[in-house]
């Protein structure tokens, strides 16, 4: 086993602590947060209790669990009705938890009404051209002293300055995060052995839904919307936890 294989095997082990590969209620492959991921978000939060918490792209609501006893109102938002049906069943006995179906951009919440926002394995699915609008909406409804806690797939290093690492990460993510049938038929046969793929090549040649965002891009968009990244906890070079506050 070579160094690259050893490294990628370690990535797989590290990710398994925080991410669980499941089949969603509507039959799709999906990735859900583990209890450890949820606990890590709570540990990262400056707020151990509060009035209102919002979970963006909540899925089955697993990331909410450690926050439920400590917040008066918790709201999970997701596009998938099937996911929300599962989440509602899980939290049926928790009157302080409710769920809404729809886009983040269309949230109908008062300005400065949310203490903490959390999101796990969701924001990376938003195209960068839509990300600024999402950030504007979040900035409006988040209290000035509030924070956004994020656990997600994100290139945490500068991909233009470390091409060999980006190439390894890019190949790994394509093989492990795209639907298996899509990868085997449309991606794997066209990957060139020995070629070092660059971030620019990914942008030029990869469909938007299979591209990967870099932290340096996201930080720029966050800053434009009035946010800044206060803390980064790296798990792998492409997955970690971010604490984001108003600038």
């Amino acid at each position: 086993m070579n160094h690259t294989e050893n490294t990628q095997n370690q990535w797989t082990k590290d990710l398994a602590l925080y991410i669980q590969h499941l089949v969603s209620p509507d039959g799709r492959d999906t990735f859900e947060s583990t209890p450890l991921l949820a606990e890590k978000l709570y540990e990262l939060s400056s707020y151990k209790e509060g009035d209102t918490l919002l979970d963006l792209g909540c899925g089955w609501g697993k990331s909410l669990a450690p926050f439920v006893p400590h917040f008066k109102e918790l709201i999970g938002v997701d596009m998938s009705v099937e996911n929300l049906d599962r989440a509602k069943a899980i939290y049926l006995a928790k009157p302080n938890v409710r769920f809404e179906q729809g886009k983040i951009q269309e949230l109908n919440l008062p300005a400065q009404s949310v203490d903490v926002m959390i999101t796990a394995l969701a924001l990376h699915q938003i195209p960068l051209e839509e990300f600024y609008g999402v950030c504007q909406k979040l900035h409006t409804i988040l209290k000035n002293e509030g924070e956004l806690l994020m656990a997600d797939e994100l290139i945490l290093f500068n991909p233009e300055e470390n091409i060999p690492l980006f190439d390894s990460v890019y190949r790994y993510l394509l093989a492990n995060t795209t639907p298996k049938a899509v990868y085997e038929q449309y991606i794997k046969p066209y990957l060139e052995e020995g070629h070092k793929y660059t971030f620019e090549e990914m942008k030029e040649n990869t469909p938007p839904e299979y591209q990967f965002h870099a932290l340096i891009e996201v930080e720029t968009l966050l800053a434009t919307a009035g946010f800044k990244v206060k803390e980064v906890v790296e798990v792998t070079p492409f997955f970690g936890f971010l604490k984001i506050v108003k600038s």
Side-chain angles (χ1 to χ4, degrees):
M1 189 177 294
N2 60 37
H3 175 70
T4 299
E5 290 174 332
N6 281 331
T7 299
Q8 293 187 349
N9 285 341
Q10 188 60 53
W11 291 344
T12 299
K13 291 178 182 178
D14 292 340
L15 290 171
L17 298 173
Y18 299 100
I19 303 171
Q20 186 178 14
H21 186 194
L22 300 169
V23 177
S24 69
D26 58 354
R28 294 176 294 106
D29 277 354
T30 186
F31 296 91
E32 287 287 331
S33 55
T34 66
L36 182 61
L37 186 152
E39 290 292 344
K40 187 68 176 179
L41 283 173
Y42 185 70
E43 177 185 319
L44 184 64
S45 178
S46 303
Y47 293 82
K48 302 309 178 188
E49 58 183 20
D51 293 322
T52 305
L53 181 139
L54 179 64
D55 186 354
L56 307 165
C58 65
W60 298 359
K62 290 192 171 188
S63 299
L64 287 169
F67 295 90
V68 171
H70 309 291
F71 282 77
K72 295 177 182 177
E73 180 182 34
L74 301 97
I75 307 165
V77 179
D78 201 277
M79 287 286 292
S80 168
V81 173
E82 291 81 5
N83 281 344
L84 292 179
D85 286 344
R86 177 68 68 91
K88 289 174 183 177
I90 293 172
Y91 290 97
L92 189 61
K94 303 294 182 182
N96 60 330
V97 182
R98 64 183 176 90
F99 296 95
E100 295 185 8
Q101 191 272 332
K103 292 184 177 181
I104 296 170
Q105 302 95 308
E106 298 169 356
L107 283 170
N108 186 24
L109 292 172
Q112 296 196 40
S113 62
V114 176
D115 297 290
V116 177
M117 298 175 184
I118 63 173
T119 179
L121 315 174
L123 289 190
H124 74 273
Q125 300 178 43
I126 299 174
L128 282 180
E129 59 267 23
E130 297 179 21
F131 195 79
Y132 175 68
V134 171
C135 290
Q136 282 187 308
K137 181 66 174 182
L138 300 184
H139 193 276
T140 298
I141 61 179
L142 184 67
K143 293 180 180 179
N144 287 335
E145 66 278 12
E147 59 190 20
L148 166 61
L149 308 173
M150 175 178 170
D152 218 328
E153 177 187 289
L154 199 62
I155 307 298
L156 297 177
F157 58 96
N158 188 329
E160 296 177 348
E161 293 181 354
N162 195 335
I163 292 174
L165 179 56
F166 175 75
D167 175 71
S168 182
V169 165
Y170 181 51
R171 291 174 183 272
Y172 177 88
L173 288 174
L174 286 174
N176 289 277
T177 65
T178 54
K180 185 174 178 60
V182 172
Y183 176 74
E184 293 292 339
Q185 185 173 356
Y186 298 107
I187 298 175
K188 186 178 179 180
Y190 302 98
L191 292 175
E192 298 179 28
E193 284 296 325
H195 180 73
K196 297 295 183 185
Y197 287 98
T198 66
F199 193 63
E200 183 178 352
E201 285 177 312
M202 179 201 70
K203 293 288 188 181
E204 292 175 353
N205 302 316
T206 307
E209 63 268 29
Y210 300 127
Q211 291 186 14
F212 309 104
H213 304 333
L215 177 58
I216 55 174
E217 297 176 298
V218 172
E219 283 184 310
T220 299
L221 291 171
L222 286 169
T224 306
F227 285 110
K228 64 179 179 180
V229 177
K230 185 176 182 180
E231 185 176 350
V232 178
V233 180
E234 180 177 316
V235 176
T236 71
F238 53 87
F239 176 81
F241 296 81
L242 275 62
K243 179 186 288 190
I244 300 165
V245 298
K246 289 187 174 182
S247 53

